[in-house]
Amino acid sequence: MKQIILLFLCLVFSLHLQAQKFEQLAMTPPMGWNSWNKFAGNINEEIIRKAADNMVSSGMKDAGYEYIVIDDCWQVSRDSLGFIVPDPKSFPSGIKALADYVHSKGLKFGIYSCAGTKTCAGRPGSKGYETQDATMYARWGVDYLKFDWCNTDGQNAQQSYTTMRDALYKAGRPIVFSICEWGNNKPWIWGPAIGHLWRTTGDIYNCFDCVQNHGTWSSWGVLSILDKQDGLRQYAGPGHWNDPDMLEVGNGMVANEDRAHFSMWCMLAAPLIAGNDMSKMSPQTKEILTNKEAIAVNQDALGVQGFRHAVSDSLETWLKPLSNGDWAICFLNRAKTVRKVTFDWKTQIIFDPLSKRTLNAGTTVYSLRNLWTKTGAGNTGKALTATVPAHDVLMLRLTATK
Ligand code: GLA
């Protein structure tokens, strides 16, 4: 009897020790759609079902988008056993039915909760109920969890996210774990062992170059978020990504700005989580969000985040090493007026200490492809001269020729 008890204890102990994050998920940056940027708290099951329909019919699914994620405000209370209760008014069919619907479209289903006592919108949080929540998510067929950081006074971030990671692991269903802690406690340091992506900043704001002051907190335009990524690229890689927040493409910026925003998120190997109303996409928005050649830069199997190589007169040059010896280069014009690019490939030997790759057009000739016009753009044998409109990019892919 003693031996059996001992064996049982050992088993429980070893199971406990083994709790970890699910590996082999998000080997390229996750792609999907989330309700928050467009709908905030005004969500219901109809909106989510339509999002799934539109992701398929618009070509987004075909371009690689896969997760439909419900953000804050789907939950309303807890039952007597502590299980979370979806809002019966806005989600009358329940979450399982919704997840089944999303799955029936060949897509994956994501949900939102918070490490604190309440979510940011004041709905019930997961603090103290991690096991019940993880169990429920597994039963419903959840594939992705965004886990926020509001109302967490006195909590340790790493510990709180580890508790949820372990609960998810024990619930047994592989779930991508999205840490939404806004970069407050350097999640890039501890995040890789706990989650698959971690927010590096506060919330994005739908503008290219502004900061929105909300009194006690601020949200950030595209360029501010971009600048906050400095020094973080070494923490990202397959299965663990820096998350500069969801996309605002199609939510009101002009096309140039949307294109620049999307291109930079591709260069950063950022999760591509659309945040627009996919039922009302302009042709331009659709063209940006479904640009497969730009997306290929983001989803490149090497999984190396791009870097800022040079800055001159508001014109930035960014590079991203890609698999098979290719490179992406993106000239970003931050100014409100046009900028001229001149780039003599042969005089630039660029070494990336992270990937240990060198771009040397003196020894290798690369062909150039413009990823927005989707046309050939000559090769690196000749210096590049071009213009980049205000708040726009010139994005090229370099492929070595023999
Ligand atoms: C926080 C997150 C946002 C969103 C809201 C929901 O602000 O950072 O992305 O999830 O909460 O309340």
Side-chain angles (χ1 to χ4, degrees):
M1 188 62 184
K2 241 187 191 169
Q3 272 165 331
I4 292 177
I5 292 174
L6 207 65
L7 199 70
F8 179 71
L9 285 177
C10 281
L11 194 72
V12 170
F13 190 55
S14 68
L15 275 178
H16 184 72
L17 275 186
Q18 276 166 17
Q20 54 180 21
K21 82 174 193 184
F22 288 102
E23 297 294 346
Q24 301 306 314
L25 292 180
M27 298 309 279
T28 59
M31 292 178 68
W33 174 89
N34 172 300
S35 53
W36 186 256
N37 282 356
K38 182 67 190 178
F39 297 97
N42 308 312
I43 46 166
N44 58 51
E45 59 184 41
E46 189 59 16
I47 289 176
I48 306 301
R49 272 201 302 262
K50 284 220 171 100
D53 295 344
N54 289 317
M55 186 177 272
V56 177
S57 63
S58 64
M60 296 271 289
K61 176 176 184 250
D62 183 50
Y65 295 84
E66 122 177 275
Y67 294 97
I68 294 284
V69 184
I70 315 182
D71 208 280
D72 207 348
C73 298
W74 61 269
Q75 62 289 70
V76 75
S77 58
R78 290 194 178 274
D79 69 13
S80 58
L81 296 175
F83 287 104
I84 192 78
V85 177
D87 190 332
K89 285 196 210 95
S90 41
F91 292 87
S93 316
I95 303 297
K96 172 84 170 74
L98 200 50
D100 288 349
Y101 185 80
V102 169
H103 289 147
S104 77
K105 299 270 154 185
L107 299 169
K108 290 184 175 159
F109 179 74
I111 210 160
Y112 163 101
S113 189
C114 184
T117 49
K118 285 185 175 168
T119 70
C120 298
R123 303 298 178 104
S126 289
K127 173 87 178 91
Y129 297 97
E130 292 85 357
T131 303
Q132 282 102 323
D133 285 354
T135 307
M136 219 51 172
Y137 302 154
R139 274 192 212 155
W140 286 339
V142 168
D143 305 296
Y144 183 110
L145 173 66
K146 172 176 169 182
F147 208 53
D148 216 337
W149 188 240
C150 276
N151 304 300
T152 52
D153 279 358
Q155 286 179 231
N156 172 290
Q158 183 173 354
Q159 249 165 35
S160 301
Y161 282 93
T162 303
T163 303
M164 194 64 204
R165 175 202 70 178
D166 292 353
L168 291 172
Y169 193 76
K170 285 175 192 162
R173 182 178 172 91
I175 289 181
V176 170
F177 191 29
S178 159
I179 297 171
C180 179
E181 178 271 357
W182 320 313
N184 290 3
N185 297 279
K186 296 193 166 69
W188 40 88
I189 308 278
W190 44 265
I194 297 175
H196 303 91
L197 59 157
W198 51 84
R199 282 273 297 278
T200 53
T201 70
D203 290 2
I204 193 167
Y205 191 74
N206 184 26
C207 68
F208 195 69
D209 191 7
C210 79
V211 174
Q212 183 71 12
N213 187 334
H214 303 273
T216 53
W217 60 288
S218 297
S219 50
W220 312 92
V222 168
L223 291 181
S224 310
I225 297 228
L226 182 64
D227 292 343
K228 289 173 188 293
Q229 309 312 308
D230 281 357
L232 300 184
R233 66 186 290 254
Q234 71 266 30
Y235 300 106
H240 49 97
W241 307 100
N242 288 312
D243 175 8
D245 206 359
M246 304 173 290
L247 296 165
E248 290 283 14
V249 175
N251 283 343
M253 280 185 275
V254 297
N256 294 16
E257 296 175 336
D258 271 354
R259 184 164 43 243
H261 170 29
F262 191 76
S263 302
M264 292 317 301
W265 264 231
C266 290
M267 294 299 286
L268 289 173
L272 296 180
I273 309 292
N276 60 320
D277 182 350
M278 291 183 287
S279 70
K280 296 196 182 101
M281 272 197 273
S282 69
Q284 222 154 22
T285 296
K286 197 190 285 192
E287 189 203 319
I288 292 170
L289 286 172
T290 61
N291 181 336
K292 289 185 185 174
E293 298 192 38
I295 291 171
V297 169
N298 175 271
Q299 294 288 300
D300 185 80
L302 202 59
V304 175
Q305 183 170 326
F307 59 95
R308 188 191 274 113
H309 165 65
V311 185
S312 163
D313 189 21
S314 297
L315 185 78
E316 298 188 352
T317 307
W318 286 73
L319 283 143
K320 183 179 192 288
L322 305 174
S323 45
N324 300 324
D326 283 15
W327 288 82
I329 189 164
C330 190
F331 300 96
L332 166 69
N333 180 3
R334 301 172 67 117
K336 287 187 180 142
T337 48
V338 70
R339 286 289 177 278
K340 197 170 172 204
V341 176
T342 44
F343 199 80
D344 189 358
W345 307 99
K346 286 190 181 158
T347 62
Q348 308 261 354
I349 299 175
I350 302 165
F351 174 66
D352 171 23
L354 183 64
S355 65
K356 312 253 182 305
R357 290 265 309 276
T358 304
L359 173 60
N360 183 352
T363 52
T364 309
V365 177
Y366 295 85
S367 67
L368 301 172
R369 185 163 169 87
N370 183 319
L371 300 188
W372 286 107
T373 61
K374 298 179 184 160
T375 52
N379 64 38
T380 53
K382 187 170 151 242
L384 174 77
T385 54
T387 51
V388 186
H391 289 184
D392 207 337
V393 288
L394 170 65
M395 190 181 187
L396 305 167
R397 186 179 183 116
L398 281 69
T399 303
T401 57
K402 285 178 196 131

